[in-house]
Amino acid sequence: MDTSLAADPGPEIPPARWSGVDPMMPRPFTVKRVRKELADTFTLELEPADGGGPIRFQPGQFNMLYAYGVGEVPISISSDPDDPSVVAHTTRFVGSVTEALVHTRIGSLIGVRGPFGTHWPVEIAQGEDVAFIAGGIGLAPLRPAIYRVLSERQKYGNVVIFYGARTPEDLLFRKELQSWRSRFDINVHVTVDRATGRWNGRVGFVTQLIRGGGFDRHSSVAFICGPELMMRYSIQKLQEHGLGNDRIFISMERNMKCAVGFCGHCQLGSQFVCKDGPVYRFDNIEDYFSIWEL
Amino acid sequence: MVKVEGLETLMEEHPFFEGFNQEALDLLAGCATNAKFDAGTVFIREGDKADMFYLIRHGTVAQEIRVPGRDPLVVETLSEGDLLGWSWIVPPYRWTFDCRAVELVRALGMDAACLRAKCEQDHSLGYLFYQHMVPIIARRLWAVRMRLLDIYAPAPKPKL
Ligand SMILES: Cc1cc2nc3c(=O)[nH]c(=O)nc-3n(C[C@H](O)[C@H](O)[C@H](O)COP(=O)(O)OP(=O)(O)OC[C@H]3O[C@@H](n4cnc5c(N)ncnc54)[C@H](O)[C@@H]3O)c2cc1C
Ligand code: FES
């Protein structure tokens, strides 16, 4: 049975575009809200401070956030693509720039370039089952895609979210996960790597959730975001489940500088992750995927 | 625990027995019982004799290690379709974890001594059994290794 999504397996994801302004010039944005999500993770909600229009983005795209005087980092947009009045970025602080961003206050200015990159093509999954597989902070870049699917819920078959985190304390967007779980039209499965007896949910690796299925092996599309190892083994599980590589989409991270395909910092084989990615259909990237240090 | 009719049907429905022929199922049914544990029940204690193992039909079980003065650590949770316990095939046949029903659990309980005896008498049955057990053990071990990698932790800062 041919279960491929399209007869021509060419690129399914439209190339990235930015809206007229110089893509190398950061626009000033005001921090509207800073929300602490986890011990090391926070969300910044931003609005334009230059009188210009809001950022219109697609799920999975990223912005370059510039902490003035410190540096610039690529961060995925984590808010609802259908509500451009707010553009949110959920960030884990790991180093100098993300550390500077966590110390911004309401009213502070930060520079924003973007949106950049390819997006989660949820539109091609209409009429099919959808599986979102997230690990750790990877739920943040997937959240806009989840919002988009839920806003047009009737256009999709079964929708299932598999989410794995380190501990119960590291579950991102916990309230939202609970509210999605309480809906009757979406299945949410959560697992953690370690927990104490106070946790009544599952303990195990995220791939162990996939075994439970909840999506059709021949007519599903999967969107995966998380650490590369987690994505690698999730892909294997999906393949065992019968899903073709052209039905699996992943998001790649590489160090970036220009974000527009000039500098080569983000090169992965023949691909520039900033403009050809970060979201890839797996069959278009599989040759590079497990080759380290490319 | 009560013996009820229809255990063969329950066994046939459980994924563990996929690939077992009718003859093997009939033989093994003699070792099976129906088990039910209410939410919160600790039905296996570390160090106790592993005289049963379970095939979960419904509900979730937490395998835990007691730590003095702290909350127990959950090593893994198991649920519908999972096999619970292999201490019964490894001498000295003692449980290495506590097992707590997180919610109401329904399972097929398998009498370990009965099974060991049947596998001893009928080596092809024993081989079939081990053929089904070993991949499960391997998958679990792999999953535990994955968790040991702590892949969601931030990348370590490079040493300057
Ligand atoms: C397309 C894209 C989207 C991203 N989206 C998000 C997001 O939504 N939320 C988020 O928190 N992060 C996201 N990142 C990762 C984020 O860009 C990095 O964490 C950030 O650049 C680190 O910068 P820094 O100056 O704070 O840390 P640095 O001082 O540059 O590095 C500090 C430590 O972090 C490690 N590190 C740096 N970059 C990464 C990385 N990409 N992945 C893992 N470890 C890294 C370094 O090895 C080092 O150990 C994304 C990256 C890309 C490429
Ligand atoms: S970041 Fe410069 S080419 Fe991609």
Side-chain angles (χ1 to χ4, degrees), chain A residues 92 94-95 135-136 164-166 193-198 200-208 211 227 229-230 233, chain B residues 64 71-77 79-82 100 102 139-140 142-143 146-154 157:
Chain A
R92 173 148 79 162
V94 292
R166 198 178 190 200
D193 279 354
R194 60 194 69 160
T196 68
R198 288 168 189 264
N200 271 341
R202 296 196 56 159
V203 177
F205 193 51
V206 66
T207 55
Q208 292 172 294
R211 192 198 61 176
L229 261 185
M230 169 261 165
Y233 293 116
Chain B
E64 298 179 337
D71 289 323
L73 291 175
V74 182
V75 179
E76 189 167 37
T77 53
S79 53
E80 193 174 318
D82 282 331
R100 174 174 57 90
V102 175
R139 276 200 298 273
R140 295 260 180 85
W142 175 84
M146 283 297 116
R147 288 191 284 135
L148 281 177
L149 290 177
D150 202 9
I151 57 170
Y152 304 123
K157 291 196 187 233

Side-chain angles (χ1 to χ4, degrees), chain A residues 64 255-267 272-275:
Chain A
M64 294 299 286
N255 283 341
M256 289 184 183
K257 273 257 180 299
C258 71
V260 287
F262 294 154
C263 71
H265 249 79
C266 64
Q267 202 165 351
F272 286 170
V273 175
C274 65
K275 72 175 181 55

Side-chain angles (χ1 to χ4, degrees), chain A residues 142-186:
Chain A
L142 271 178
R143 189 169 68 165
I146 298 172
Y147 286 145
R148 176 61 62 77
V149 166
L150 293 185
S151 73
E152 301 179 317
R153 180 64 191 85
Q154 71 289 352
K155 294 188 179 166
Y156 297 88
N158 292 333
V159 177
V160 53
I161 299 174
F162 301 110
Y163 180 42
R166 198 178 190 200
T167 70
E169 292 71 40
D170 296 309
L171 289 172
L172 196 58
F173 309 140
R174 201 178 173 134
K175 283 208 177 109
E176 222 159 359
L177 285 167
Q178 276 162 349
S179 83
W180 290 335
R181 182 177 258 174
S182 66
R183 291 172 62 128
F184 294 111
D185 57 358
I186 177 165

Side-chain angles (χ1 to χ4, degrees), chain B residues 57-116:
Chain B
R57 295 173 38 231
H58 171 87
T60 304
V61 176
Q63 292 184 294
E64 298 179 337
I65 294 184
R66 269 171 289 157
V67 190
R70 284 170 53 186
D71 289 323
L73 291 175
V74 182
V75 179
E76 189 167 37
T77 53
L78 300 171
S79 53
E80 193 174 318
D82 282 331
L83 169 139
L84 166 58
W86 49 73
S87 302
W88 65 278
I89 41 172
V90 187
Y93 312 124
R94 298 270 165 196
W95 289 113
T96 50
F97 300 119
D98 288 354
C99 289
R100 174 174 57 90
V102 175
E103 53 192 337
L104 174 76
V105 169
R106 293 182 199 281
L108 279 165
M110 305 296 293
D111 182 312
C114 167
L115 258 173
R116 284 196 298 260

Side-chain angles (χ1 to χ4, degrees), chain A residues 73-76 90-92 94-98 253-254, chain B residues 155-158:
Chain A
V73 284
I75 302 289
S76 304
T90 301
T91 308
R92 173 148 79 162
V94 292
S96 47
V97 180
T98 48
E253 276 190 18
R254 284 295 179 272
Chain B
K157 291 196 187 233

